[in-house]
Amino acid sequence: HPARAAELPEGLAVCRIPVEGLWAERLDALYERVVAEPGTSGWVRDVWPPTGMARELLASGAYWGVFEAGAVSGGAPREDAALLGAVAVNHDADMGDGSAGGHGSGLGAPSWEALGEKDVAGWHLLAADPAARGRGVADALIAAGVRASRELGARVARLNTNVANVPGNCLYASRGFTRHRPVWLPYPGLPLPGWSNLWELEV
């Protein structure tokens, strides 16, 4: 199918997740639901996401969330808003290819063009609540990632996803991402192949 840009679905809103309040617990609960859902994410509790990683990214102000449009006011979610999906976006774009600038994959040739650190936004721990499936949360997460990347002043966004995650890989391919040379990125404790696809999107 021809690729198309991700658009924010009607009825959903994206905004930065507040650092204060119960949002760390809500992020943990979101990832617990993803881990518990049978499928191809391959995530395992306390293995991936690593314990504390989401809270650290949240404390740095990197997290964006997807919410019901009516639950967001003044660019922030209400305290009781349901978190339908989340993605962390920052300048840490080392996706396992050996360097943030993409100078090599450990397999000889660079995986992607080497760019300055400030030119690249890395997307991390992108996840949609399984209970919200079919509502366009994945498109909303991409829209959030693009917005966050632009706010960082990045030229491109980069992420990786395991080759076994067929729905994720199909999503990125169908939303205009470019797939670069896969990297060998085994993670002990995850029931996944060692290869991950590298995806890049001009923002």
Side-chain angles (χ1 to χ4, degrees), residues 67-159:
F67 306 92
E68 302 278 1
V72 173
S73 177
R78 292 198 319 252
E79 186 61 33
D80 62 347
L83 182 61
L84 305 180
V87 60
V89 182
N90 60 20
H91 282 302
D92 181 11
D94 183 358
M95 296 295 160
D97 68 339
S99 69
H103 294 288
S105 64
L107 299 172
S111 300
W112 44 31
E113 178 187 0
L115 296 172
E117 180 182 354
K118 299 300 183 184
D119 291 325
V120 183
W123 294 8
H124 313 281
L125 302 184
L126 185 150
D129 191 330
R133 186 170 291 139
R135 300 192 53 199
V137 174
D139 271 336
L141 284 169
I142 293 174
V146 168
R147 179 175 165 188
S149 300
R150 289 173 177 167
E151 287 194 8
L152 288 175
R155 293 166 47 197
V156 300
R158 290 174 173 171
L159 57 87

